[in-house]
Amino acid sequence: LITRALYGLRSSGAAFRGLLAEMLWYLSYRPSKADPDVYMRTAVKANGFKYWEYVLVYVDDVLCISNRPMDTMKGIKAKFKIKDDKIENHQCIEEHHYHK
């Protein structure tokens, strides 16, 4: 029954996307002009480094690119049920500053 609610009806995907967009707006993410499924917001690290955080959405999958992605995922989890075993946290990109 729950699977049918998300996948069974023609309007289910649009309804889910609308609710997710509302939650991301509440978390201060804004859709990009180039792709409405790419959301972004500015952020600042503890050392004062400014950067962009991104949330990419594909159907019912969400990828958060951030220094603290779990903060965004907790915000999303407040509205949506997420299987804890499906949340992964990878830190594989290093920050480099180049000076001439």
Side-chain angles (χ1 to χ4, degrees):
L1 180 65
I2 294 173
T3 301
R4 181 156 176 79
L6 180 58
Y7 299 105
L9 304 174
R10 289 181 185 249
S11 62
S12 298
F16 170 76
R17 188 176 182 280
L19 288 173
L20 182 59
E22 286 178 19
M23 175 52 69
L24 291 172
W25 188 272
Y26 175 77
L27 295 172
S28 300
Y29 283 93
R30 302 297 179 255
S32 72
K33 292 180 182 178
D35 188 338
D37 291 325
V38 175
Y39 295 83
M40 55 192 173
R41 72 177 178 188
T42 57
V44 180
K45 290 186 178 183
N47 65 3
F49 181 77
K50 296 179 182 180
Y51 71 102
W52 286 92
E53 294 179 320
Y54 295 95
V55 173
L56 294 80
V57 180
Y58 180 74
V59 186
D60 63 348
D61 293 326
V62 175
L63 173 65
C64 181
I65 303 171
S66 171
N67 187 51
R68 298 180 55 158
M70 296 311 289
D71 290 348
T72 297
M73 295 308 295
K74 285 178 187 175
I76 293 171
K77 196 173 181 179
K79 181 88 172 179
F80 299 98
K81 185 175 181 180
I82 300 175
K83 293 181 181 177
D84 288 330
D85 63 335
K86 297 293 182 184
I87 297 177
E88 299 177 18
N89 187 6
H90 300 283
Q91 295 180 350
C92 60
I93 299 175
E94 295 181 17
E95 178 182 316
H96 296 282
H97 298 275
Y98 298 98
H99 301 282
K100 290 184 178 183

PDB file of all heavy atoms in Angstrom, residues 18-29 72 74-80:
ATOM      1  N   GLY A  18       7.131  18.032  -4.984  1.00  0.00           N
ATOM      2  CA  GLY A  18       6.656  19.290  -4.426  1.00  0.00           C
ATOM      3  C   GLY A  18       6.913  19.395  -2.926  1.00  0.00           C
ATOM      4  O   GLY A  18       7.357  20.433  -2.433  1.00  0.00           O
ATOM      5  N   LEU A  19       6.645  18.320  -2.204  1.00  0.00           N
ATOM      6  CA  LEU A  19       6.903  18.317  -0.761  1.00  0.00           C
ATOM      7  C   LEU A  19       8.390  18.432  -0.454  1.00  0.00           C
ATOM      8  O   LEU A  19       8.791  19.148   0.463  1.00  0.00           O
ATOM      9  CB  LEU A  19       6.336  17.044  -0.122  1.00  0.00           C
ATOM     10  CG  LEU A  19       4.825  16.971  -0.009  1.00  0.00           C
ATOM     11  CD1 LEU A  19       4.395  15.588   0.471  1.00  0.00           C
ATOM     12  CD2 LEU A  19       4.311  18.034   0.940  1.00  0.00           C
ATOM     13  N   LEU A  20       9.209  17.720  -1.234  1.00  0.00           N
ATOM     14  CA  LEU A  20      10.657  17.799  -1.030  1.00  0.00           C
ATOM     15  C   LEU A  20      11.163  19.210  -1.343  1.00  0.00           C
ATOM     16  O   LEU A  20      11.988  19.751  -0.614  1.00  0.00           O
ATOM     17  CB  LEU A  20      11.381  16.766  -1.892  1.00  0.00           C
ATOM     18  CG  LEU A  20      12.903  16.716  -1.725  1.00  0.00           C
ATOM     19  CD1 LEU A  20      13.287  16.408  -0.277  1.00  0.00           C
ATOM     20  CD2 LEU A  20      13.498  15.682  -2.666  1.00  0.00           C
ATOM     21  N   ALA A  21      10.644  19.823  -2.393  1.00  0.00           N
ATOM     22  CA  ALA A  21      11.040  21.196  -2.745  1.00  0.00           C
ATOM     23  C   ALA A  21      10.682  22.167  -1.625  1.00  0.00           C
ATOM     24  O   ALA A  21      11.471  23.060  -1.292  1.00  0.00           O
ATOM     25  CB  ALA A  21      10.371  21.614  -4.054  1.00  0.00           C
ATOM     26  N   GLU A  22       9.503  21.988  -1.016  1.00  0.00           N
ATOM     27  CA  GLU A  22       9.116  22.833   0.112  1.00  0.00           C
ATOM     28  C   GLU A  22      10.081  22.677   1.284  1.00  0.00           C
ATOM     29  O   GLU A  22      10.473  23.655   1.917  1.00  0.00           O
ATOM     30  CB  GLU A  22       7.700  22.493   0.584  1.00  0.00           C
ATOM     31  CG  GLU A  22       6.610  22.978  -0.339  1.00  0.00           C
ATOM     32  CD  GLU A  22       5.229  22.561   0.168  1.00  0.00           C
ATOM     33  OE1 GLU A  22       5.088  22.227   1.371  1.00  0.00           O
ATOM     34  OE2 GLU A  22       4.312  22.553  -0.660  1.00  0.00           O
ATOM     35  N   MET A  23      10.473  21.436   1.584  1.00  0.00           N
ATOM     36  CA  MET A  23      11.392  21.185   2.693  1.00  0.00           C
ATOM     37  C   MET A  23      12.763  21.796   2.401  1.00  0.00           C
ATOM     38  O   MET A  23      13.366  22.418   3.264  1.00  0.00           O
ATOM     39  CB  MET A  23      11.530  19.684   2.955  1.00  0.00           C
ATOM     40  CG  MET A  23      12.558  19.337   4.019  1.00  0.00           C
ATOM     41  SD  MET A  23      12.397  20.211   5.602  1.00  0.00           S
ATOM     42  CE  MET A  23      10.907  19.521   6.229  1.00  0.00           C
ATOM     43  N   LEU A  24      13.245  21.645   1.173  1.00  0.00           N
ATOM     44  CA  LEU A  24      14.542  22.214   0.821  1.00  0.00           C
ATOM     45  C   LEU A  24      14.498  23.742   0.868  1.00  0.00           C
ATOM     46  O   LEU A  24      15.459  24.388   1.288  1.00  0.00           O
ATOM     47  CB  LEU A  24      14.995  21.709  -0.550  1.00  0.00           C
ATOM     48  CG  LEU A  24      15.349  20.219  -0.580  1.00  0.00           C
ATOM     49  CD1 LEU A  24      15.599  19.766  -2.007  1.00  0.00           C
ATOM     50  CD2 LEU A  24      16.548  19.920   0.306  1.00  0.00           C
ATOM     51  N   TRP A  25      13.378  24.334   0.459  1.00  0.00           N
ATOM     52  CA  TRP A  25      13.222  25.790   0.549  1.00  0.00           C
ATOM     53  C   TRP A  25      13.293  26.224   2.015  1.00  0.00           C
ATOM     54  O   TRP A  25      13.950  27.202   2.358  1.00  0.00           O
ATOM     55  CB  TRP A  25      11.901  26.216  -0.088  1.00  0.00           C
ATOM     56  CG  TRP A  25      11.760  27.699  -0.211  1.00  0.00           C
ATOM     57  CD1 TRP A  25      11.253  28.555   0.719  1.00  0.00           C
ATOM     58  CD2 TRP A  25      12.151  28.509  -1.310  1.00  0.00           C
ATOM     59  NE1 TRP A  25      11.298  29.849   0.255  1.00  0.00           N
ATOM     60  CE2 TRP A  25      11.849  29.842  -0.991  1.00  0.00           C
ATOM     61  CE3 TRP A  25      12.723  28.216  -2.553  1.00  0.00           C
ATOM     62  CZ2 TRP A  25      12.100  30.894  -1.850  1.00  0.00           C
ATOM     63  CZ3 TRP A  25      12.967  29.276  -3.414  1.00  0.00           C
ATOM     64  CH2 TRP A  25      12.662  30.587  -3.059  1.00  0.00           C
ATOM     65  N   TYR A  26      12.625  25.476   2.885  1.00  0.00           N
ATOM     66  CA  TYR A  26      12.644  25.750   4.322  1.00  0.00           C
ATOM     67  C   TYR A  26      14.070  25.677   4.875  1.00  0.00           C
ATOM     68  O   TYR A  26      14.438  26.437   5.770  1.00  0.00           O
ATOM     69  CB  TYR A  26      11.727  24.765   5.047  1.00  0.00           C
ATOM     70  CG  TYR A  26      11.771  24.884   6.547  1.00  0.00           C
ATOM     71  CD1 TYR A  26      11.100  25.918   7.199  1.00  0.00           C
ATOM     72  CD2 TYR A  26      12.478  23.965   7.311  1.00  0.00           C
ATOM     73  CE1 TYR A  26      11.135  26.028   8.576  1.00  0.00           C
ATOM     74  CE2 TYR A  26      12.525  24.074   8.691  1.00  0.00           C
ATOM     75  CZ  TYR A  26      11.860  25.110   9.315  1.00  0.00           C
ATOM     76  OH  TYR A  26      11.904  25.218  10.682  1.00  0.00           O
ATOM     77  N   LEU A  27      14.891  24.774   4.329  1.00  0.00           N
ATOM     78  CA  LEU A  27      16.288  24.623   4.750  1.00  0.00           C
ATOM     79  C   LEU A  27      17.208  25.624   4.041  1.00  0.00           C
ATOM     80  O   LEU A  27      18.423  25.491   4.114  1.00  0.00           O
ATOM     81  CB  LEU A  27      16.768  23.192   4.479  1.00  0.00           C
ATOM     82  CG  LEU A  27      16.066  22.102   5.285  1.00  0.00           C
ATOM     83  CD1 LEU A  27      16.491  20.725   4.790  1.00  0.00           C
ATOM     84  CD2 LEU A  27      16.360  22.257   6.773  1.00  0.00           C
ATOM     85  N   SER A  28      16.631  26.593   3.332  1.00  0.00           N
ATOM     86  CA  SER A  28      17.351  27.679   2.632  1.00  0.00           C
ATOM     87  C   SER A  28      18.032  27.253   1.337  1.00  0.00           C
ATOM     88  O   SER A  28      18.886  27.970   0.821  1.00  0.00           O
ATOM     89  CB  SER A  28      18.382  28.348   3.556  1.00  0.00           C
ATOM     90  OG  SER A  28      17.737  28.895   4.681  1.00  0.00           O
ATOM     91  N   TYR A  29      17.675  26.095   0.797  1.00  0.00           N
ATOM     92  CA  TYR A  29      18.181  25.695  -0.523  1.00  0.00           C
ATOM     93  C   TYR A  29      17.282  26.303  -1.580  1.00  0.00           C
ATOM     94  O   TYR A  29      16.069  26.379  -1.414  1.00  0.00           O
ATOM     95  CB  TYR A  29      18.181  24.167  -0.672  1.00  0.00           C
ATOM     96  CG  TYR A  29      19.315  23.489   0.056  1.00  0.00           C
ATOM     97  CD1 TYR A  29      19.149  23.012   1.347  1.00  0.00           C
ATOM     98  CD2 TYR A  29      20.545  23.323  -0.553  1.00  0.00           C
ATOM     99  CE1 TYR A  29      20.184  22.381   2.020  1.00  0.00           C
ATOM    100  CE2 TYR A  29      21.588  22.699   0.105  1.00  0.00           C
ATOM    101  CZ  TYR A  29      21.395  22.227   1.390  1.00  0.00           C
ATOM    102  OH  TYR A  29      22.422  21.607   2.055  1.00  0.00           O
ATOM    103  N   THR A  72      21.790  18.556   6.651  1.00  0.00           N
ATOM    104  CA  THR A  72      20.723  18.638   5.651  1.00  0.00           C
ATOM    105  C   THR A  72      19.859  17.384   5.683  1.00  0.00           C
ATOM    106  O   THR A  72      18.628  17.469   5.634  1.00  0.00           O
ATOM    107  CB  THR A  72      21.316  18.840   4.244  1.00  0.00           C
ATOM    108  OG1 THR A  72      22.006  20.090   4.220  1.00  0.00           O
ATOM    109  CG2 THR A  72      20.245  18.823   3.180  1.00  0.00           C
ATOM    110  N   LYS A  74      19.266  15.455   8.185  1.00  0.00           N
ATOM    111  CA  LYS A  74      18.401  15.491   9.374  1.00  0.00           C
ATOM    112  C   LYS A  74      17.182  16.375   9.120  1.00  0.00           C
ATOM    113  O   LYS A  74      16.077  16.062   9.557  1.00  0.00           O
ATOM    114  CB  LYS A  74      19.184  15.996  10.578  1.00  0.00           C
ATOM    115  CG  LYS A  74      20.134  14.984  11.150  1.00  0.00           C
ATOM    116  CD  LYS A  74      20.906  15.569  12.315  1.00  0.00           C
ATOM    117  CE  LYS A  74      21.985  14.615  12.775  1.00  0.00           C
ATOM    118  NZ  LYS A  74      22.829  15.207  13.827  1.00  0.00           N
ATOM    119  N   GLY A  75      17.383  17.471   8.408  1.00  0.00           N
ATOM    120  CA  GLY A  75      16.263  18.339   8.070  1.00  0.00           C
ATOM    121  C   GLY A  75      15.261  17.645   7.167  1.00  0.00           C
ATOM    122  O   GLY A  75      14.045  17.758   7.359  1.00  0.00           O
ATOM    123  N   ILE A  76      15.757  16.921   6.185  1.00  0.00           N
ATOM    124  CA  ILE A  76      14.883  16.171   5.284  1.00  0.00           C
ATOM    125  C   ILE A  76      14.189  15.042   6.046  1.00  0.00           C
ATOM    126  O   ILE A  76      13.003  14.788   5.865  1.00  0.00           O
ATOM    127  CB  ILE A  76      15.684  15.619   4.084  1.00  0.00           C
ATOM    128  CG1 ILE A  76      16.176  16.784   3.216  1.00  0.00           C
ATOM    129  CG2 ILE A  76      14.844  14.643   3.263  1.00  0.00           C
ATOM    130  CD1 ILE A  76      17.146  16.378   2.128  1.00  0.00           C
ATOM    131  N   LYS A  77      14.934  14.405   6.933  1.00  0.00           N
ATOM    132  CA  LYS A  77      14.393  13.289   7.707  1.00  0.00           C
ATOM    133  C   LYS A  77      13.283  13.737   8.657  1.00  0.00           C
ATOM    134  O   LYS A  77      12.436  12.948   9.041  1.00  0.00           O
ATOM    135  CB  LYS A  77      15.523  12.624   8.491  1.00  0.00           C
ATOM    136  CG  LYS A  77      15.197  11.269   9.026  1.00  0.00           C
ATOM    137  CD  LYS A  77      16.426  10.625   9.623  1.00  0.00           C
ATOM    138  CE  LYS A  77      16.079   9.253  10.143  1.00  0.00           C
ATOM    139  NZ  LYS A  77      17.237   8.578  10.713  1.00  0.00           N
ATOM    140  N   ALA A  78      13.268  15.010   9.013  1.00  0.00           N
ATOM    141  CA  ALA A  78      12.204  15.523   9.877  1.00  0.00           C
ATOM    142  C   ALA A  78      10.839  15.450   9.195  1.00  0.00           C
ATOM    143  O   ALA A  78       9.812  15.359   9.850  1.00  0.00           O
ATOM    144  CB  ALA A  78      12.515  16.965  10.283  1.00  0.00           C
ATOM    145  N   LYS A  79      10.832  15.466   7.860  1.00  0.00           N
ATOM    146  CA  LYS A  79       9.581  15.455   7.099  1.00  0.00           C
ATOM    147  C   LYS A  79       9.314  14.111   6.421  1.00  0.00           C
ATOM    148  O   LYS A  79       8.172  13.726   6.225  1.00  0.00           O
ATOM    149  CB  LYS A  79       9.643  16.558   6.044  1.00  0.00           C
ATOM    150  CG  LYS A  79       8.434  16.698   5.182  1.00  0.00           C
ATOM    151  CD  LYS A  79       7.425  17.614   5.792  1.00  0.00           C
ATOM    152  CE  LYS A  79       6.304  17.877   4.816  1.00  0.00           C
ATOM    153  NZ  LYS A  79       5.300  18.739   5.379  1.00  0.00           N
ATOM    154  N   PHE A  80      10.386  13.406   6.058  1.00  0.00           N
ATOM    155  CA  PHE A  80      10.256  12.160   5.300  1.00  0.00           C
ATOM    156  C   PHE A  80      10.894  11.008   6.049  1.00  0.00           C
ATOM    157  O   PHE A  80      11.908  11.183   6.718  1.00  0.00           O
ATOM    158  CB  PHE A  80      10.943  12.293   3.930  1.00  0.00           C
ATOM    159  CG  PHE A  80      10.348  13.357   3.070  1.00  0.00           C
ATOM    160  CD1 PHE A  80      10.928  14.612   3.003  1.00  0.00           C
ATOM    161  CD2 PHE A  80       9.212  13.119   2.328  1.00  0.00           C
ATOM    162  CE1 PHE A  80      10.387  15.605   2.214  1.00  0.00           C
ATOM    163  CE2 PHE A  80       8.661  14.098   1.531  1.00  0.00           C
ATOM    164  CZ  PHE A  80       9.248  15.341   1.475  1.00  0.00           C
TER     165      PHE A  80
END
